[in-house]
Amino acid sequence: MIRSKNFKFLDELIDNDSDEITLNCDIILDSSEEKKYFEGIELDVDNIVIDGNNHIIDAKGKTRIFSVSGKNITLKNIVFKNGHINNDYPTGGGAIYNNGEATIINSRFSDNHAEHDGGAIFNESIMKIINTKFSNNISTGNFVNGGAVHNSFGDIEITD
């Protein structure tokens, strides 16, 4: 039984030109990956579905989880945990920064932190969030907005 894999493993799956990825284990940031993925795994491909199969993606409070710039990205059945982005970067989104087109379905965001806006998610483009739960996500610092979600001039739809 596979217990967990690291961010590099997931990054390589994404770059493999697959249009659907189903996780069979948790994805946990390895301490040697912090510098490479400080802004998260880059989701710059189009037309991809990542089904977390109810597994956890855990950034261990060290990095953001995903930086989305691709179109037609679907993230579903994922537990996004312990994402973090600090004041050195101009955007928030402890778990996800979206500047593409993303849909999040049946997921959970827990214990994510941004030292800017959007403790869990910072959206600057097009995003749908469906049947998703948020708990213990925070943004800190001066003049911050959105402990869970901050929408900055984007189009966002949140249901259920």
Side-chain angles (χ1 to χ4, degrees), residues 11-144:
D11 193 16
E12 288 173 351
L13 287 177
I14 292 164
D15 290 338
N16 236 1
D17 292 328
S18 177
D19 58 355
E20 186 157 352
I21 296 167
T22 301
L23 299 180
N24 63 0
C25 63
D26 293 342
I27 303 296
I28 300 174
L29 181 77
D30 184 272
S31 61
S32 66
E33 299 179 307
E34 290 176 27
K35 288 184 181 177
K36 178 172 174 58
Y37 295 108
F38 62 91
E39 288 192 80
I41 296 170
E42 183 66 38
L43 271 171
D44 56 356
V45 297
D46 295 338
N47 306 311
I48 190 169
V49 174
I50 300 176
D51 184 343
N53 203 20
N54 297 312
H55 286 286
I56 296 168
I57 301 178
D58 187 347
K60 297 173 77 175
K62 304 292 183 186
T63 68
R64 178 185 286 147
I65 296 172
F66 285 123
S67 182
V68 179
S69 60
K71 307 293 185 225
N72 195 28
I73 305 292
T74 299
L75 305 170
K76 64 183 186 176
N77 307 314
I78 300 171
V79 178
F80 297 92
K81 186 175 178 181
N82 297 318
H84 179 263
I85 195 74
N86 66 35
N87 274 333
D88 294 338
Y89 305 98
T91 61
I96 295 175
Y97 165 73
N98 180 50
N99 194 28
E101 294 175 13
T103 300
I104 299 166
I105 305 169
N106 298 329
S107 294
R108 287 183 288 150
F109 289 82
S110 177
D111 303 308
N112 298 289
H113 175 227
E115 293 178 19
H116 283 294
D117 303 321
I121 297 171
F122 187 99
N123 180 56
E124 285 189 313
S125 191
I126 300 169
M127 177 171 270
K128 291 181 182 177
I129 302 171
I130 303 163
N131 195 35
T132 294
K133 296 184 183 336
F134 295 85
S135 63
N136 300 318
N137 300 285
I138 60 171
S139 56
T140 58
N142 296 325
F143 309 109
V144 295

Side-chain angles (χ1 to χ4, degrees), residues 140-152:
T140 58
N142 296 325
F143 309 109
V144 295
N145 298 292
V149 178
H150 178 73
N151 186 50
S152 178

